[in-house]
């Protein structure tokens, strides 16, 4: 089986698959059109997010048996066309769920305890105690939307913080020892903190908008490590200005390029977030640790070998 790897990943992918008899070639620079010209020569693809695999691409990829996405999100693949063509889709959310969970907790603790602000002030000779009084997690209700690999890992990390974790998911009967499933309405009524762990689909695009925020009964903290376009940024900015959102932790932005490698555009809403002491913004690195790079790759290899070896 001849595999084309379109993004840089951990070398164990090529090493382990080659050792099992697969032919793995790498192309990290060719454009969409250049890859399209040669895709018919390959039986499989291993990707991250650099090139969108749309209907035009997939119909030209006449020999593809599978596409493996090193990561969780599959929105850059036309899944319906892939299914119609009999192309199997593989991803590896198990590989970076721990990294995402730690990032969520870390960002939230920094925000609620003003750690970044206070540390920078002290470095500049400013000593403020009352102004930097923190807000405890203990006793709060933490609401999660999307209880898959990432949501479950977050709930597990929170088990020692004395918070009640509730979640909403479109699938039923997912409650476990770490969190209780509730309706979306109940989550909006009870949550002090809201964290997103959902894919980007037509149904979840701008899920968090002015209407959603208006239905949150409490003033709340907001966390997004899922996809930037799950959130309508302008609505968040307005809610921070009004005090409805107490603070926001954003690892993903509506304005990112589809490859997630940089920003596609900037505007006043983004500038507000970057300047605000009520927002922490990181560059799509929640699932981006040294350990997750290896785990993501290993999960992909294990799934490929389980299916085709």
């Amino acid at each position: 089986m001849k595999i084309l790897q379109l993004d840089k990943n951990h070398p164990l992918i090529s090493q382990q698959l080659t050792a099992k008899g697969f032919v793995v070639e790498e192309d990290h620079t060719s454009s969409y059109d250049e890859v399209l010209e040669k895709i018919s020569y390959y039986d499989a693809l291993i990707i991250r997010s650099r090139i969108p695999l749309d209907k035009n691409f997939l119909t030209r990829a006449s020999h593809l048996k599978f596409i493996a996405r090193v990561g969780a999100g599959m929105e850059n693949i036309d899944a319906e066309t892939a299914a119609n063509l009999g192309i199997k889709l593989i991803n590896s959310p198990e590989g970076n769920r721990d990294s995402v969970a730690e990032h969520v907790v870390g960002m939230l603790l920094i925000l609620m305890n003003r750690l970044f602000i206070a540390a920078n002030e002290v470095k500049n000779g400013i000593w403020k105690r009352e102004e930097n009084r923190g807000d405890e997690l203990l006793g709060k209700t933490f609401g999660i939307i999307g209880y898959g690999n990432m949501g479950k890992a977050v709930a597990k990390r929170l088990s020692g913080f004395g918070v009640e974790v509730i979640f909403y998911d479109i699938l039923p009967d997912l409650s476990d020892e770490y969190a209780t499933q509730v309706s979306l309405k109940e989550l909006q009524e009870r949550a002090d903190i809201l964290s997103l762990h959902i894919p980007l689909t037509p149904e979840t695009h701008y899920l968090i908008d002015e209407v959603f925020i208006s239905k949150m009964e409490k003033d709340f903290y907001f966390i997004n490590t899922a996809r930037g376009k799950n959130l309508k940024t302008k609505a968040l900015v307005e809610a921070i200005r009004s005090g409805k959102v107490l603070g926001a932790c954003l690892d993903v932005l509506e304005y990112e390029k589809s490859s997630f490698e940089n920003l596609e555009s900037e505007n006043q809403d983004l500038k507000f977030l970057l300047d605000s002491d009520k927002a922490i913004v990181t560059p799509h690195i929640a699932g981006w640790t040294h350990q997750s790079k290896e785990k993501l790759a290993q999960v992909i290899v294990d799934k490929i070998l389980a299916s085709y070896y």
Side-chain angles (χ1 to χ4, degrees):
M1 186 178 288
K2 197 172 182 180
I3 300 174
L4 178 62
Q5 190 166 201
L6 289 176
D7 300 89
K8 291 182 180 179
N9 291 300
H10 196 285
L12 73 80
I13 292 179
S14 293
Q15 293 166 0
Q16 293 186 18
L17 291 178
T18 299
K20 293 295 185 180
F22 293 85
V23 176
V24 181
E25 296 183 7
E26 305 207 13
D27 183 347
H28 307 152
T29 60
S30 290
S31 67
Y32 174 97
D33 290 330
E34 289 169 336
V35 175
L36 200 60
E37 288 299 316
K38 62 180 181 179
I39 191 59
S40 61
Y41 297 105
Y42 295 93
D43 303 298
L45 286 174
I46 297 176
I47 66 166
R48 286 210 320 260
S49 303
R50 188 172 69 85
I51 291 180
L53 306 186
D54 55 18
K55 184 174 183 178
N56 175 58
F57 186 101
L58 295 176
T59 52
R60 292 275 294 275
S62 55
H63 293 98
L64 283 190
K65 295 178 176 62
F66 71 84
I67 298 167
R69 160 78 160 94
V70 182
M74 305 288 275
E75 69 273 6
N76 62 322
I77 305 171
D78 185 336
E80 183 179 353
T81 297
N84 292 337
L85 294 172
I87 302 170
K88 183 176 182 179
L89 301 183
I90 302 169
N91 65 343
S92 55
E94 303 91 342
N96 63 352
R97 59 189 174 192
D98 298 313
S99 172
V100 169
E102 291 187 13
H103 196 92
V104 166
V105 175
M107 281 202 300
L108 186 60
L109 291 174
I110 288 170
L111 180 73
M112 293 178 66
N113 291 282
R114 298 176 60 85
L115 299 182
F116 186 74
I117 297 165
N120 275 337
E121 287 177 350
V122 172
K123 287 179 180 180
N124 287 284
I126 301 168
W127 190 272
K128 294 181 178 179
R129 298 186 68 222
E130 184 58 37
E131 294 87 343
N132 286 310
R133 192 180 288 273
D135 190 10
E136 295 182 9
L137 272 174
L138 181 67
K140 288 184 170 54
T141 300
F142 192 107
I144 294 172
I145 298 182
Y147 205 61
N149 282 281
M150 310 303 174
K152 290 176 182 177
V154 169
K156 185 175 181 180
R157 292 304 181 288
L158 291 169
S159 60
F161 281 89
V163 300
E164 180 182 5
V165 184
I166 59 176
F167 69 90
Y168 168 75
D169 196 284
I170 58 174
L171 299 178
D173 303 322
L174 297 179
S175 294
D176 58 22
E177 61 186 302
Y178 301 111
T180 302
Q181 189 162 10
V182 298
S183 67
L184 186 58
K185 183 176 184 295
E186 183 175 347
L187 184 143
Q188 290 172 315
E189 290 171 350
R190 297 176 56 198
D192 298 291
I193 302 157
L194 176 64
S195 188
L196 298 188
H197 300 283
I198 51 179
L200 180 61
T201 67
E203 292 74 29
T204 64
H205 185 270
Y206 281 177
L207 175 67
I208 309 302
D209 60 7
E210 295 90 347
V211 174
F212 187 102
I213 291 172
S214 71
K215 293 180 179 178
M216 296 289 290
E217 289 205 2
K218 299 179 181 179
D219 298 341
F220 67 101
Y221 294 95
F222 177 73
I223 308 165
N224 190 10
T225 55
R227 287 292 182 261
K229 288 183 172 62
N230 293 140
L231 165 71
K232 187 175 180 181
T233 310
K234 184 173 290 296
L236 175 67
V237 168
E238 291 170 357
I240 292 175
R241 289 185 189 277
S242 72
K244 182 66 180 179
V245 169
L246 301 170
C249 301
L250 305 175
D251 182 56
V252 292
L253 292 168
E254 176 181 356
Y255 314 112
E256 286 180 82
K257 291 184 177 180
S258 59
S259 64
F260 309 134
E261 293 299 328
N262 212 322
L263 293 175
E264 187 171 56
S265 62
E266 298 184 36
N267 59 31
Q268 288 304 306
D269 292 326
L270 177 59
K271 185 177 186 304
F272 172 86
L273 293 172
L274 297 179
D275 292 341
S276 174
D277 64 2
K278 294 183 178 179
I280 293 176
V281 181
T282 52
H284 206 130
I285 56 169
W288 209 249
T289 61
H290 297 291
Q291 293 81 5
S292 71
K293 182 176 182 180
E294 181 172 351
K295 288 190 283 187
L296 284 165
Q298 192 62 64
V299 169
I300 282 294
V301 169
D302 292 345
K303 288 184 177 182
I304 291 171
L305 294 180
S307 297
Y308 297 98
Y309 185 73

